[in-house]
Amino acid sequence: MDEAALLEAVAVAAREAGEAILAIVARGFDVETKSDFSPVTEADRAAEAIILAALARAAPGVPVIAEEEVTAGRIPDHGDTYFLVDPLDGTKEFVRGGDDYTVNIGLIVDGRPRLGAVFTPAAGRIHAGLVGSGAWTEDGLGNRAVLHTRPRGAEVAAVASKSHFTQATADYLEAAVGVCSHVSVGSSLKFCVLAEGRADLYPRLSPTSEWDTAAGHAVLLAAGGRVDGVDGQPLRYGKRAFLNRGSTPAPGQRATLHAVRPHLHPESDATPAPSLIFIERAALNSTKLCSIMEKFPSRLGGRFRYAPFCSVPSTKKVLSMIYAARLADPAMGSPRAHLPPALVIGSSAAARARGVAEIEAAGLRLAAAVPVEEAIERIDQQAAASALWIELDRDQGGALDALLERVDRDADAGAYAAIVSTELALLDPVAARLTSSRVELLVGGAPSERVAALGLACSLPPGGKRLSDVAADNGAARLRQLSEDVGRIAATLARLSAGPDAPAALPAERSVSAGAPTPEVTREEVRAVIRRRRLRARFFPEDLFADPAWDMLLDLTQAEIAQIRVPVSSLCIAAAVPATTALRWIKTLTDNGVFVRRPDPHDGRRVFVEMAPNTSSAMRRYFAEVGRMAA
């Protein structure tokens, strides 16, 4: 096999698949949800079909493991040589209308990438590489340039995901290299940024599939870089379920996926400094933010630090860091001495261990850590509880349903507050059982979000019957004072940054004259508005216009016209914000009568979300008015 000729054929296949994707973008497309609750479109399937046919011609007999084929259960027998294909990496970015999505084709030989191509349809640019021979990039006009990683310098730049940059990633970077500049891109383009010499380091703490990384890994290797796993050894392929497993490293450990230029490694004894990190951008003056914080009477603990990482901190992120500092503040008094113990419930031993770690990190006493099937009996025996922490990493069927229903009732009656931390794949059956405002639902929450949820749970005032009167405790009083301080901070931040994480109560629905006909709206009219909204992300930072409520209203309007039912998980994807944030918006909009929850009549473990009648009427009148103005 002529590997150089094969790479050229792979590059052509990637480009042809990308052109098919652009054609589908031009005419519009629908978004479906796979069994793992990730989005998939017609473009994914069309691009994969083109690639499969092209590879069959270019390398007959070489097995191809492609993402959508695997999803459909079609996995070919393969030995040590095979292709890994992701026909559309960054589908969430693609669905939102962004440009950072790619077509990825990589060849694996003996567990290592041998060659690969990454095509960016929106830019018309391809990156390709053959390990041992070099890497190159080519624009849409056929201009080709050689790629090299850059030599080590005094300044270090990191590249990280648009959708997966978390506080844990920031902590890891600080431990590895100290304060550094930051490049934020989506999909496999992160590998290409390293190969171009525009950055030095890409840490990834959450799981990826092997087809997500194979092509970019090959390009980076060919350009002189490397990709290490959590064990510090070169990342290998052919693992079970084709999965690069996720892991949040403790201080001194490596990221799960650690892509670097040569000679750049985290120090083995590095430990993150105990600091509060606020993210800068020109629109929000960081000095002003600091001065606002210092005006509040509460002692925040830790120290403030500014790092040019990504975007304005959301209100929730700032609050979570404040809670993290305050819960450990000696001036607060020891929570162990004042609050009742917390109960941890987990669906596996690993899940229970994560929950216990959260409780211990907050300085709270632990009553017990029990499996889901024993939880109700333990709740009945528990004399007092400051909070319940429920950590879910697998479905427990009827036992889980019964537990969530019991917790929802108890929390709503004021017996305790509860935090339920789950994965996106379990969101629908979990959300179907939870309606109480005293249950905080987290989906893939970062450590900062998790400790914030615990702080909020501990500071909630009692309501109705309570297992224990915490109101008289000094610790609870201080936590309530903290909640008031944080409320004032949240209001100030909301005025400064118009952040989406603290939704305000919505005004009452404007009245419509009785008997007025509801205008007809076509699906294409709604899709045209959605496409225009997506277009903004090509020219401005995506979070500049973050408006999950409007995005969800548009999605529900389109679904209503097409007579499609929308589950909670799909609506979270449409919101184009982290799932936990989207859930808060869904709850706020439901509480204000804008949305309505409907049980799935065929599946008791799922609920649909739809617009209330007045909301539907308002949206249709809005589109009719827009049409008249455009005429």
Side-chain angles (χ1 to χ4, degrees):
M1 182 187 302
D2 183 340
E3 291 183 321
L6 178 59
L7 178 59
E8 294 291 341
V10 165
V12 169
R15 190 177 288 277
E16 290 176 349
E19 290 169 353
I21 290 172
L22 291 176
I24 291 170
V25 171
R27 70 169 187 262
F29 57 89
D30 296 325
V31 181
E32 302 171 28
T33 304
K34 294 193 285 190
S35 59
D36 64 354
F37 296 95
S38 61
V40 64
T41 69
E42 175 191 356
D44 296 77
R45 299 187 179 103
E48 187 164 292
I50 290 171
I51 294 169
L52 291 174
L55 294 180
R57 294 190 299 269
V62 178
V64 181
I65 297 168
E67 179 178 13
E68 303 312 324
E69 286 287 290
V70 171
T71 300
R74 295 186 288 269
I75 304 174
D77 293 332
H78 62 90
D80 295 330
T81 300
Y82 53 92
F83 287 102
L84 283 169
V85 171
D86 188 344
L88 205 168
D89 184 29
T91 304
K92 290 182 181 179
E93 173 80 1
F94 173 72
V95 167
R96 296 170 189 169
D99 290 342
D100 288 358
Y101 58 90
T102 56
V103 178
N104 299 270
I105 307 174
L107 177 66
I108 303 299
V109 178
D110 294 330
R112 301 181 187 278
R114 181 60 189 158
L115 60 83
V118 176
F119 180 59
T120 311
R125 178 170 292 277
I126 194 159
H127 295 76
L130 172 59
V131 178
S133 296
W136 47 267
T137 182
E138 184 179 280
D139 63 19
L141 300 176
N143 300 312
R144 186 171 292 193
V146 175
L147 294 176
H148 293 292
T149 55
R150 68 186 187 183
R152 182 169 186 170
E155 298 294 329
V156 175
V159 60
S161 171
K162 278 185 174 180
S163 57
H164 294 92
F165 188 89
T166 64
Q167 184 61 39
T169 305
D171 290 344
Y172 179 79
L173 285 171
E174 186 173 8
V177 294
V179 174
C180 62
S181 60
H182 176 77
V183 180
S184 180
V185 295
S187 69
S188 57
L189 282 173
K190 293 178 282 291
F191 293 98
C192 300
V193 169
L194 290 172
E196 290 175 352
R198 294 195 286 131
D200 307 288
L201 172 69
Y202 162 37
R204 175 65 179 245
L205 309 187
S206 54
T208 58
S209 294
E210 291 186 347
W211 46 75
D212 294 324
T213 61
H217 189 171
V219 172
L220 181 57
L221 286 177
R226 59 183 288 168
V227 180
D228 293 340
V230 69
D231 58 358
Q233 299 301 310
L235 186 69
R236 294 187 63 86
Y237 291 78
K239 298 181 290 297
R240 182 179 179 183
F242 308 105
L243 184 66
N244 303 315
R245 297 192 177 276
S247 173
T248 301
Q253 290 184 328
R254 294 177 179 273
T256 298
L257 189 154
H258 183 80
V260 297
R261 59 169 169 75
H263 314 303
L264 179 67
H265 306 285
E267 297 296 334
S268 60
D269 58 349
T271 302
S275 58
L276 300 179
I277 301 176
F278 288 93
I279 314 302
E280 288 188 66
R281 79 171 181 192
L284 181 60
N285 185 284
S286 57
T287 303
K288 185 174 183 180
L289 177 59
C290 187
S291 67
I292 289 169
M293 291 296 183
E294 290 173 347
K295 289 180 181 178
F296 291 103
S298 60
R299 180 178 183 272
L300 295 178
R303 57 189 172 87
F304 293 101
R305 199 163 171 175
Y306 303 97
F309 276 133
C310 47
S311 60
V312 166
S314 66
T315 299
K316 179 65 178 176
K317 188 165 187 176
V318 173
L319 301 190
S320 65
M321 289 187 286
I322 293 169
Y323 272 117
R326 282 285 285 187
L327 284 173
D329 187 350
M332 286 285 293
S334 171
R336 292 179 185 274
H338 299 292
L339 294 179
L343 179 62
V344 171
I345 301 165
S347 56
S348 69
R352 292 190 290 276
R354 289 194 296 273
V356 169
E358 297 297 340
I359 300 301
E360 292 178 344
L364 296 172
R365 289 179 293 154
L366 176 67
V370 298
V372 167
E373 56 270 20
E374 300 175 11
I376 291 179
E377 182 179 0
R378 177 65 203 208
I379 290 171
D380 290 336
Q381 297 172 355
Q382 187 76 29
S386 55
L388 261 64
W389 186 286
I390 303 174
E391 186 82 21
L392 304 173
D393 58 6
R394 64 189 64 179
D395 196 345
Q396 300 282 279
L400 177 59
D401 293 346
L403 170 64
L404 294 176
E405 290 173 356
R406 167 66 183 273
V407 169
D408 195 64
R409 289 196 305 271
D410 287 355
D412 206 42
Y416 46 74
I419 304 101
V420 179
S421 175
T422 187
E423 299 176 351
L424 187 59
L426 296 175
L427 177 55
D428 281 323
V430 171
R433 294 293 187 274
L434 299 177
T435 60
S436 173
S437 61
R438 296 176 66 89
V439 179
E440 179 79 1
L441 181 54
L442 303 176
V443 180
S448 55
E449 280 192 308
R450 292 161 69 87
V451 75
L454 186 56
L456 287 166
C458 290
S459 64
L460 281 173
K465 181 182 177 182
R466 183 120 172 130
L467 286 178
S468 170
D469 182 10
V470 188
D473 293 337
N474 293 333
R478 291 190 181 102
L479 281 168
R480 286 198 305 276
Q481 179 61 47
L482 168 62
S483 185
E484 293 172 4
D485 290 347
V486 166
R488 294 197 295 273
I489 295 171
T492 303
L493 288 174
R495 288 194 297 272
L496 284 171
S497 61
D501 289 322
L506 301 178
E509 180 66 41
R510 296 181 179 179
S511 61
V512 179
S513 57
T518 300
E520 290 296 323
V521 179
T522 67
R523 191 178 184 188
E524 185 53 41
E525 289 177 288
V526 182
R527 292 176 68 170
V529 173
I530 294 174
R531 284 197 293 270
R532 286 195 290 271
R533 284 182 62 76
R534 291 172 181 164
L535 186 63
R536 299 182 310 193
R538 298 188 182 182
F539 306 99
F540 300 97
E542 190 171 7
D543 60 352
L544 185 64
F545 300 108
D547 191 354
W550 186 239
D551 286 332
M552 287 188 284
L553 281 168
L554 290 173
D555 190 69
L556 289 176
T557 301
Q558 180 179 229
E560 182 179 277
I561 294 170
Q563 298 184 336
I564 298 172
R565 309 298 296 274
V566 180
V568 173
S569 57
S570 295
L571 196 57
C572 286
I573 293 172
V577 292
T580 299
T581 302
L583 285 168
R584 295 191 187 103
W585 276 100
I586 292 171
K587 186 178 188 315
T588 298
L589 293 167
T590 303
D591 290 346
N592 282 272
V594 178
F595 291 168
V596 177
R597 287 165 55 107
R598 302 286 190 200
D600 184 342
H602 307 293
D603 183 353
R605 308 189 72 217
R606 183 168 68 169
V607 293
F608 297 118
V609 180
E610 60 187 49
M611 294 184 293
N614 280 349
T615 306
S616 174
S617 175
M619 288 298 291
R620 290 172 183 268
R621 292 177 189 283
Y622 164 80
F623 277 101
E625 185 65 24
V626 168
R628 283 194 293 271
M629 293 175 65

